[in-house]
Amino acid sequence: GVRDVLFLYEENRCSMTYMYEYPEYLKIKLPKKTARRYPAYELYLYGEGNYAEENKNLLLTGIPVLFLPGNAGSYKQVRSLGSIALRKAEDVDFKYHFNFFSVNFNEELVALYGGSLQRQTKFVHECIKVILKLYRDREFAPSSVAIVGHSMGGLVARALLTLKNFKPELINLLITQATPHVAPVMPLDKYLTDFYTAVNNHWILKAQDLRNLTTLSVAGGFRDYQVRSGLAFLPRLSQHDSALSVVSSAVPRAWASTDHLSIVWCKELILATIRAFFDLIDENTRQITEDPKKRMSVLNHHFVRHPAKMFEENPEAFTELTGAFMWITVKASKWTYSVYNDSDGKYFAFPLASHRKSYSHVYCENSMLDTNSWIYGCMNTNSSMCLEAADLSWRAELLPTTKVVMLKLQDYPSLSHIVIQVPPAVGNKYTLGCEFFEEDSRTVQLPVTHLLSFGLSSSKILLNSTGLLYNVQLQHFNQIYQAFKIYVESHCQSLKERKPSIYRLHIPWSHEDSIIVAKAPSLAEISAKLHIAQPHNDSSLPVLNIYSSPDCHYEVILKTSLLQVLGQIVRFHAGAFPVYIVSNILLTYGGQLSTLRSTGQCSDFSLELVRTAKPYKVEPLISIVVFLQGFNWFREIWESLSLPELDAAVLSSQDAWFPLVSLILFLFGTGIAYWSGVFFSTSLRLFSSLWLSLIRPTVLQKDKLITPRRLCGMISLALVSWTTCGAFAVLIIYLQYFMGSYKPVHIFVTSVFHFQDSGQSKGTSQNSSAHTVKAQSSMDSIPDATQSPSNSATIAEAVNSLKMHITILNLFTWIVLLSLPSLIYWLKNLRYNVRLDPDPCRSTAIILICILEILMNSSTSEVKSSKLLKIAAKVPLPLSVAMLAFGRMHLYRVPHFVTFSLLLHVLCCIV
């Protein structure tokens, strides 16, 4: 599954964007107050060549666009947009042009640490005010700024509207690239999840205030494994006419999936964006239009359905068909025509009266990919020609190698003829085709195979007719965990050169289509999987459109792809892996305490994991609660207790959950937990072997749990946590604990050496390596009764303590890993601020410092005799359940559950 997500995706079909002159970034001077408040942030103006020189005095006359980089993103990523916009402006002799600004966020890791998102949002607000001041007193001064946000930059742009003193009219267009709008990819701290909640709630509750803002979200598709496209779909608002979400694979003239970084430089996608920008200009104001309907029309034209014509706001309803073209009447229901070096223009007229009774639709295609009109509808025609016609080219749709139009005859009762215009084609070669058909004859239904068929069975259909278009409806394909391989094999009657076939997987409830162009005859493989599940109020079916070669037959075979199913599970739930791993370790930890209480011996980690880490101990209870939350009375009780919503319930409401997922993730967590235990045990043995070969151990006296020296250590690390970064203090105590884990080894080996030396004469010399081998071989089992009882008890105690320390170290490793992002963020910004503020780990770090300073000097002898051991042994099970219930979408809660369990362990050492 991991391999499917990270490696098995389509090849990069994007072209690179190039600058034709050296890019320059002019730093904009900010007000002193702003610069002092945000020392790490900067604002730049992009330019190149003469354009950059002209703008050095900041006498700007263009249309302002602000680019916001994302997680660890650079302000220089604006160059693709800025350069192509400059070339486009040159094409129109600078009648209109854009000024591209970019914010330097110091490449902060805001996807991993949410504490700076609010600060970034406020800085962007200041930047907008500074940008608009640059245009003050100009003839066509702008009153708003368009924003392009990549990744988390898009979320920061949306967050502007949550600021109290922000005026919504300051932005009228927002384009986001691969922005996770729905939820964070890795919810590693509370500030991140709270920020998301505030932004999304505001956009839903204040939807009416956003009616003048047009928003476009572009997702990268399956190549982007960092931000899955389902997260990039804007939350469904009450007004659907101001927000649009598309996947790059469905964008006309791009038709390519992009990875998380290439989406900012993919030439095909950048061209679509810049073309849209220029079409959005109002000729009167020379700024982006204030008309929301026109903005949405332009975005739909360039990003959803391109009719292979230049955008026109109000196209002419009727057109005069002029020119000395020959008129030819075609009465056949199917017609194809090839043009090559044709010097005479022609009009082909198809009378509809004879076809209306027999057929429901007409389909036409044209491989000449120019932007001229080519298909018309006539209402009053005589036998020779049609003088005035409706331009039906606006109903067409552009595909990679052709433009197509399909009309339902019932929708055009007043039309008497369909007219195809074939202009003179000197040096050009292209084909046209039209056919009338009954919709039912070209639409077939193919039931998809069951998820548990594992690809052993298949659904198959043979398309025998030689039409130009087929629609294969995929029944019961509506969930994100379904994944299929579709094989389309074309069989052609002859080996002559023919136009390629186009296969489009059309998902009707979202703009996430994917298109494949294949030679005919050939065998094409299509991956069919969803970015978002079918909404409950939608009954439409996904369709495989086959734009075929006329003399070919097609066979469609569909199989479940187990690897891609696992890939979907990884894609949608990889963020929950740490929760399942820690849950397994916590269950094992509880089992070890229970065994220690009942037998006086601590069991081995791997054996205890097999015995106690069972999915049926945790999952059924969560499933029962999710079921009960469907009832109002239970939900009221739940809310009265102020309990947070179950993560499984949220995932179920998003249709991103099914029962088997949790079992698979739990078993995966068991495997990772097992191997992490093996790793820690092995590494401890290797390091201790090295240590013993170098140093002969001396007798180690047992210390008190709390000494003045340790108390000073606790206070020192607590001060480090409070004054710098909590995660830094956690890392220090972790390393200290790791080194302290050698103490049980030290006690154990000292006892073995003492026993061996006592049975030998003083004059006998022993090889130190032999001592080491004997000591190491004894670590796996408690010495037999031939040894002295006191020595045997000491060795047994050391072995028990070592096993317990390995488990605690395993648990604590995951706390360190989950707190690592804030540590990296702190280190990266250390030159601006020594103290991380806000710090998601500070309070947890101080508690952990106190706990681990005590635990690293503890042994199982204190725990065995504790009155609290019974409670401490039973608590990890409910904590594991709670962790899975409330931690899957809130990873920052995981350390809290582990800390509570370790706190009980400390109390067992004391009480």
Side-chain angles (χ1 to χ4, degrees):
V2 173
R3 178 172 169 267
D4 176 72
V5 171
L6 297 182
F7 304 107
L8 301 182
Y9 43 68
E10 67 177 67
E11 62 180 10
N12 189 2
R13 298 209 294 261
C14 284
S15 306
M16 177 61 78
T17 48
Y18 293 96
M19 284 75 251
Y20 290 93
E21 297 173 278
Y22 195 79
E24 295 183 38
Y25 305 89
L26 177 65
K27 188 176 178 180
I28 306 295
K29 189 177 180 181
L30 299 171
K32 289 183 180 178
K33 186 179 177 183
T34 304
R36 194 166 52 249
R37 189 180 297 172
Y38 309 101
Y41 301 158
E42 296 166 325
L43 177 65
Y44 289 88
L45 172 65
Y46 177 80
E48 52 186 76
N50 293 332
Y51 170 77
E53 286 293 323
E54 291 169 3
N55 285 335
K56 281 188 176 177
N57 57 7
L58 293 179
L59 297 174
L60 307 177
T61 57
I63 302 166
V65 180
L66 179 60
F67 176 79
L68 304 180
N71 178 57
S74 169
Y75 65 95
K76 294 182 179 181
Q77 289 173 313
V78 72
R79 62 184 177 268
S80 295
L81 284 164
S83 183
I84 288 183
L86 185 59
R87 302 280 85 79
K88 179 80 172 172
E90 288 175 350
D91 289 345
V92 295
D93 295 325
F94 281 92
K95 181 182 179 183
Y96 312 114
H97 71 280
F98 289 85
N99 302 128
F100 274 86
F101 298 84
S102 185
V103 172
N104 178 16
F105 284 135
N106 192 33
E107 299 185 10
E108 290 181 336
L109 300 170
V110 285
L112 305 177
Y113 169 74
S116 63
L117 283 168
Q118 195 67 24
R119 187 160 57 245
Q120 287 191 1
T121 306
K122 291 177 180 177
F123 179 73
V124 172
H125 185 198
E126 297 300 323
C127 287
I128 291 172
K129 290 189 281 189
V130 169
I131 289 168
L132 292 176
K133 278 183 182 177
L134 295 174
Y135 295 86
R136 199 164 47 190
D137 303 325
R138 300 287 187 273
E139 183 181 358
F140 297 101
S143 59
S144 61
V145 175
I147 295 181
V148 178
H150 172 240
S151 188
M152 295 298 286
L155 188 72
V156 168
R158 288 180 62 216
L160 284 167
L161 296 154
T162 65
L163 298 177
K164 289 182 180 179
N165 56 346
F166 183 79
K167 298 176 182 176
E169 58 268 20
L170 290 180
I171 51 174
N172 58 10
L173 177 67
L174 170 60
I175 297 177
T176 67
Q177 302 170 324
T179 296
H181 292 293
V182 178
V185 177
M186 293 291 283
L188 291 166
D189 66 58
K190 192 173 188 297
Y191 308 114
L192 192 58
T193 54
D194 286 352
F195 189 82
Y196 264 91
T197 302
V199 172
N200 286 332
N201 285 348
H202 182 89
W203 275 59
I204 292 169
L205 297 173
K206 304 283 185 180
Q208 290 303 314
D209 298 341
L210 307 176
R211 59 184 180 274
N212 290 322
L213 171 64
T214 303
T215 310
L216 168 70
S217 174
V218 183
F222 290 110
R223 276 188 64 86
D224 188 350
Y225 56 80
Q226 294 183 48
V227 176
R228 63 177 176 86
S229 296
L231 292 178
F233 279 73
L234 289 159
R236 296 184 183 275
L237 306 175
S238 56
Q239 84 290 2
H240 293 279
D241 56 345
S242 66
L244 181 65
S245 300
V246 299
V247 179
S248 61
S249 60
V251 174
R253 303 173 82 170
W255 298 298
S257 177
T258 63
D259 60 56
H260 197 62
L261 290 179
S262 69
I263 199 168
V264 300
W265 56 254
C266 179
K267 184 178 177 181
E268 290 77 7
L269 209 53
I270 299 299
L271 281 170
T273 306
I274 297 302
R275 289 178 187 126
F277 270 128
F278 275 85
D279 284 340
L280 285 165
I281 297 172
D282 187 326
E283 290 186 2
N284 297 321
T285 64
R286 297 203 175 184
Q287 296 294 325
I288 288 178
T289 179
E290 296 294 326
D291 182 4
K293 288 185 179 179
K294 181 183 176 181
R295 292 199 296 259
M296 282 305 295
S297 296
V298 170
L299 294 180
N300 274 295
H301 178 93
H302 289 284
F303 288 91
V304 178
R305 186 186 178 96
H306 198 296
K309 285 180 66 66
M310 304 294 283
F311 176 79
E312 292 179 31
E313 187 176 359
N314 297 304
E316 293 289 333
F318 295 97
T319 305
E320 290 186 9
L321 300 183
T322 56
F325 285 12
M326 183 188 302
W327 281 82
I328 301 171
T329 302
V330 181
K331 295 183 179 180
S333 61
K334 183 178 178 181
W335 167 84
T336 56
Y337 185 74
S338 295
V339 182
Y340 183 61
N341 274 341
D342 197 343
S343 58
D344 298 322
K346 298 182 179 67
Y347 284 121
F348 290 92
F350 298 81
L352 299 181
S354 58
H355 295 305
R356 287 189 185 276
K357 294 180 181 178
S358 305
Y359 306 109
S360 62
H361 289 72
V362 59
Y363 166 83
C364 293
E365 59 186 19
N366 182 355
S367 65
M368 182 67 170
L369 301 181
D370 60 3
T371 57
N372 296 321
S373 296
W374 60 284
I375 182 168
Y376 304 91
C378 287
M379 281 172 277
N380 51 348
T381 183
N382 54 35
S383 57
S384 59
M385 64 179 64
C386 173
L387 299 176
E388 190 178 58
D391 190 351
L392 298 178
S393 305
W394 293 103
R395 306 288 179 188
E397 183 175 11
L398 182 65
L399 294 173
T401 60
T402 186
K403 48 190 178 184
V404 301
V405 62
M406 186 166 71
L407 305 173
K408 189 176 182 180
L409 297 179
Q410 190 178 343
D411 294 341
Y412 301 90
S414 59
L415 295 186
S416 60
H417 284 67
I418 296 288
V419 177
I420 302 291
Q421 180 182 3
V422 181
V426 178
N428 290 328
K429 183 178 182 180
Y430 62 97
T431 59
L432 300 100
C434 281
E435 71 170 331
F436 292 85
F437 62 88
E438 188 65 35
E439 185 179 25
D440 293 342
S441 66
R442 296 300 168 82
T443 303
V444 292
Q445 293 188 333
L446 182 67
V448 298
T449 49
H450 194 271
L451 176 70
L452 299 178
S453 65
F454 303 119
L456 299 176
S457 62
S458 63
S459 289
K460 187 184 297 185
I461 197 161
L462 187 63
L463 306 172
N464 277 319
S465 63
T466 56
L468 299 175
L469 172 71
Y470 302 100
N471 297 314
V472 181
Q473 295 180 338
L474 306 178
Q475 291 180 303
H476 317 300
F477 178 30
N478 50 23
Q479 298 298 328
I480 55 99
Y481 54 81
Q482 294 175 294
F484 308 97
K485 281 186 178 179
I486 302 176
Y487 301 94
V488 183
E489 188 172 7
S490 52
H491 305 276
C492 303
Q493 295 173 359
S494 62
L495 296 175
K496 67 176 183 178
E497 184 183 349
R498 56 176 56 80
K499 71 183 184 72
S501 300
I502 301 173
Y503 309 126
R504 176 170 68 174
L505 182 62
H506 174 59
I507 310 299
W509 57 82
S510 62
H511 302 296
E512 54 175 285
D513 295 7
S514 56
I515 293 179
I516 290 179
V517 180
K519 293 180 180 179
S522 68
L523 175 64
E525 182 182 311
I526 304 167
S527 290
K529 48 197 175 189
L530 300 174
H531 293 293
I532 57 172
Q534 185 178 28
H536 295 294
N537 57 353
D538 195 310
S539 59
S540 54
L541 295 174
V543 180
L544 176 65
N545 301 128
I546 299 177
Y547 301 92
S548 58
S549 293
D551 60 340
C552 297
H553 300 279
Y554 291 82
E555 185 179 23
V556 181
I557 301 170
L558 181 144
K559 293 181 179 180
T560 296
S561 173
L562 178 61
L563 287 180
Q564 291 188 62
V565 169
L566 294 174
Q568 287 290 82
I569 291 171
V570 172
R571 183 174 285 109
F572 280 80
H573 302 291
F577 282 167
V579 184
Y580 284 91
I581 296 165
V582 177
S583 177
N584 273 277
I585 300 171
L586 202 57
L587 286 171
T588 307
Y589 169 68
Q592 284 181 314
L593 290 176
S594 181
T595 308
L596 185 66
R597 176 175 169 268
S598 59
T599 66
Q601 303 295 332
C602 183
S603 55
D604 188 67
F605 178 85
S606 56
L607 294 174
E608 198 60 47
L609 179 73
V610 172
R611 191 178 71 85
T612 57
K614 304 293 185 185
Y616 59 77
K617 291 184 177 181
V618 291
E619 284 303 328
L621 185 59
I622 297 172
S623 300
I624 290 167
V625 174
V626 171
F627 172 74
L628 290 174
Q629 282 199 328
F631 299 98
N632 290 329
W633 61 268
F634 186 82
R635 205 179 305 118
E636 289 171 4
I637 295 170
W638 190 268
E639 290 171 359
S640 66
L641 295 172
S642 300
L643 291 170
E645 193 170 5
L646 283 177
D647 289 353
V650 177
L651 289 167
S652 295
S653 67
Q654 297 173 358
D655 294 314
W657 195 251
F658 68 106
L660 276 177
V661 163
S662 199
L663 177 62
I664 292 168
L665 294 178
F666 193 93
L667 295 176
F668 183 82
T670 306
I672 297 295
Y674 174 83
W675 288 109
S676 64
V678 170
F679 169 77
F680 282 115
S681 180
T682 306
S683 61
L684 213 57
R685 290 171 189 275
L686 288 173
F687 282 120
S688 59
S689 297
L690 181 64
W691 178 56
L692 290 171
S693 65
L694 298 173
I695 301 168
R696 181 182 174 87
T698 56
V699 177
L700 193 67
Q701 298 295 326
K702 183 167 175 61
D703 292 335
K704 292 180 180 178
L705 285 174
I706 302 174
T707 62
R709 184 180 175 183
R710 287 181 197 130
L711 200 58
C712 288
M714 284 185 204
I715 294 168
S716 301
L717 282 175
L719 283 172
V720 168
S721 175
W722 188 260
T723 56
T724 58
C725 171
F728 181 53
V730 167
L731 182 63
I732 293 171
I733 193 69
Y734 173 74
L735 295 173
Q736 196 177 333
Y737 187 86
F738 187 82
M739 300 308 295
S741 296
Y742 291 110
K743 186 175 177 182
V745 180
H746 195 129
I747 295 170
F748 169 77
V749 177
T750 301
S751 304
V752 173
F753 270 90
H754 179 71
F755 173 75
Q756 289 170 344
D757 288 348
S758 64
Q760 295 167 354
S761 62
K762 290 183 180 179
T764 307
S765 63
Q766 294 290 331
N767 188 294
S768 63
S769 63
H771 280 297
T772 303
V773 172
K774 289 176 183 178
Q776 285 296 315
S777 63
S778 301
M779 285 178 71
D780 289 323
S781 59
I782 295 166
D784 57 31
T786 60
Q787 298 176 351
S788 64
S790 60
N791 218 37
S792 178
T794 306
I795 293 172
E797 193 59 49
V799 171
N800 288 333
S801 297
L802 183 63
K803 289 175 180 177
M804 188 58 71
H805 280 299
I806 288 172
T807 305
I808 294 172
L809 192 65
N810 205 342
L811 275 173
F812 193 43
T813 300
W814 285 98
I815 295 180
V816 173
L817 289 174
L818 290 172
S819 63
L820 212 53
S822 61
L823 174 64
I824 296 168
Y825 179 91
W826 173 74
L827 289 171
K828 196 173 170 56
N829 292 272
L830 197 55
R831 58 179 172 155
Y832 300 108
N833 208 332
V834 175
R835 189 173 193 259
L836 181 63
D837 189 35
D839 188 347
C841 302
R842 185 168 290 131
S843 55
T844 308
I846 293 171
I847 297 169
L848 282 170
I849 287 164
C850 300
I851 289 172
L852 293 175
E853 278 284 2
I854 295 170
L855 284 182
M856 76 173 70
N857 298 291
S858 68
S859 68
T860 52
S861 58
E862 297 112 342
V863 178
K864 276 191 284 190
S865 57
S866 174
K867 298 175 182 177
L868 295 175
L869 181 57
K870 184 178 180 181
I871 297 171
K874 289 185 176 180
V875 161
L877 176 58
L879 285 179
S880 293
V881 175
M883 192 186 297
L884 291 181
F886 303 112
R888 280 186 276 225
M889 297 177 68
H890 304 83
L891 290 178
Y892 60 87
R893 291 173 179 167
V894 172
H896 302 158
F897 296 111
V898 176
T899 302
F900 183 77
S901 191
L902 295 178
L903 184 60
L904 286 176
H905 192 131
V906 168
L907 291 175
C908 287
C909 296
I910 299 169
V911 180

